[in-house]
Amino acid sequence: MRKVDVFILSGFLGSGKTTLLRQLLQEEKEHGRNVGVIMNEAGETAVDSEVLPNEVPLAELLNGCVCCTIQGQLEGQLEEMVSSYTLDAIYIETTGIAHPIEVLDGCITPSLSERITVRSIITVVNSKLLLELDSLSNRAQKLFLEQIRHGDLLLLNKEDLLTEDEKANTLMKVQMLNEGAKNILTTQARVPLSYILTQTRSRTASHEPTHMHNHLHIETFSYHEDSAFNGAKLEDFLKGLPQSVYRVKGYVRLQGNDQLYSLQYAYSTPLLMPVELQAKPSLVFIGENLQPQMLEKGLNSAI
């Protein structure tokens, strides 16, 4: 029986994993390869999966993290996917608060050993954040670094935001953290599929349990509202969020037109882009010690 290759996409919140996945799926399609996707999102609402091609077999693991509360579901979804489809590869996009080794553990089970091969852990690194780690709590910093330590291929993303000295500093830092990994500087997580497919996982390593649900007050808050936002007020609200809000993502409508917009926020920077989707307006907040009443009040005031 031919085994299905599995690639684990790791990286902290807002690093660029979904952007990488979309590009890989497009190139996989151009090469005529059949692939499936398993997406894990910490919130109760699926956001990232809305942008994936409809023809791609997809399994969603919501409202939990694949490395603890729903690890058993990962095994079941993998078994169902390899049984139901003839696939060349499966991409597992982890939530940004997952430890990659614990996700790997969820893939290595007796029932799957003869059906899949975990080829590599690909960690997308927010290079700018790596140089500004003090903006995260101590335990969040620890997880960020653990994700780097256990990657087989490190995509040092957001290269376009770095000076030449910062690029050199980034490369030095990751080589000190993980001298055995291959690394490449990227913008918009662009990397050729051929480079991904040549990666192999040839080592094992112990890790410390740094999963954020267990060790931090990591929370999610979902906001559902069909009313259109005032664009300027919404951006002002987002820019004023505390640093403990790591990530906001979803879809919104803005006053003055019927266009749907994708909203992406990470590290005090909001980005609104028009999209051609039929998704329902909703937002998911991810962070430490969230204050839902404060967030809801602020959002309502931007309508």
Side-chain angles (χ1 to χ4, degrees), residues 225-248:
E225 177 57 62
D226 288 332
S227 300
F229 286 97
N230 177 296
K233 289 183 178 180
L234 179 60
E235 288 203 25
D236 286 344
F237 166 72
L238 293 169
K239 289 177 180 178
L241 288 173
Q243 289 187 333
S244 57
V245 178
Y246 296 135
R247 190 85 163 92
V248 184

Side-chain angles (χ1 to χ4, degrees), residues 52-108:
L52 300 186
N54 292 330
E55 68 271 15
V56 174
L58 171 67
E60 296 173 309
L61 304 176
L62 303 177
N63 207 25
C65 184
V66 78
C67 53
C68 65
T69 57
I70 55 176
Q71 190 177 66
Q73 294 181 39
L74 172 61
E75 180 182 351
Q77 293 288 8
L78 280 169
E79 288 183 346
E80 182 175 347
M81 194 164 279
V82 296
S83 298
S84 302
Y85 304 95
T86 301
L87 299 175
D88 296 294
I90 296 173
Y91 291 95
I92 301 174
E93 182 184 338
T94 69
T95 176
I97 56 176
H99 195 298
I101 294 300
E102 294 173 11
V103 178
L104 176 65
D105 289 345
C107 299
I108 301 175

Side-chain angles (χ1 to χ4, degrees), residues 240-296:
L241 288 173
Q243 289 187 333
S244 57
V245 178
Y246 296 135
R247 190 85 163 92
V248 184
K249 56 185 178 180
Y251 301 96
V252 299
R253 297 194 185 280
L254 301 181
Q255 295 171 5
N257 61 63
D258 295 327
Q259 177 71 53
L260 185 70
Y261 289 81
S262 165
L263 188 154
Q264 299 287 332
Y265 166 95
Y267 319 112
S268 303
T269 304
L271 177 64
L272 284 163
M273 296 185 63
V275 292
E276 299 298 329
L277 294 174
Q278 299 299 317
K280 293 182 179 180
S282 64
L283 293 173
V284 176
F285 290 71
I286 305 173
E288 294 183 67
N289 303 310
L290 296 183
Q291 301 178 46
Q293 291 182 336
M294 179 274 289
L295 295 175
E296 188 165 7

Side-chain angles (χ1 to χ4, degrees), residues 184-195:
I184 180 173
L185 287 160
T186 62
T187 297
Q188 295 293 319
R190 286 193 291 269
V191 62
L193 174 64
S194 58
Y195 196 79

Side-chain angles (χ1 to χ4, degrees), residues 135-248:
S135 64
L136 299 179
S137 70
N138 288 336
R139 287 173 176 170
Q141 291 180 41
K142 188 174 182 180
L143 175 63
F144 187 100
L145 297 176
E146 280 283 286
Q147 291 171 338
I148 294 174
R149 288 190 180 101
H150 294 282
D152 301 302
L153 171 64
L154 307 177
L155 303 186
L156 311 182
N157 202 25
K158 306 183 189 292
E159 176 190 11
D160 54 316
L161 303 180
L162 304 179
T163 65
E164 291 303 315
D165 285 345
E166 287 174 331
K167 291 177 187 178
N169 196 8
T170 298
L171 286 166
M172 180 184 69
K173 283 180 177 290
V174 298
Q175 286 168 357
M176 291 176 63
L177 288 165
N178 187 346
E179 63 180 11
K182 297 180 180 178
N183 55 70
I184 180 173
L185 287 160
T186 62
T187 297
Q188 295 293 319
R190 286 193 291 269
V191 62
L193 174 64
S194 58
Y195 196 79
I196 298 293
L197 297 182
T198 59
Q199 304 307 308
T200 57
R201 181 162 185 81
S202 58
R203 61 196 174 94
T204 59
S206 61
H207 73 283
E208 297 182 57
T210 55
H211 176 254
M212 293 176 74
H213 276 297
N214 289 341
H215 299 276
L216 300 180
H217 297 291
I218 194 71
E219 300 169 352
T220 64
F221 166 70
S222 298
Y223 179 85
H224 304 276
E225 177 57 62
D226 288 332
S227 300
F229 286 97
N230 177 296
K233 289 183 178 180
L234 179 60
E235 288 203 25
D236 286 344
F237 166 72
L238 293 169
K239 289 177 180 178
L241 288 173
Q243 289 187 333
S244 57
V245 178
Y246 296 135
R247 190 85 163 92
V248 184

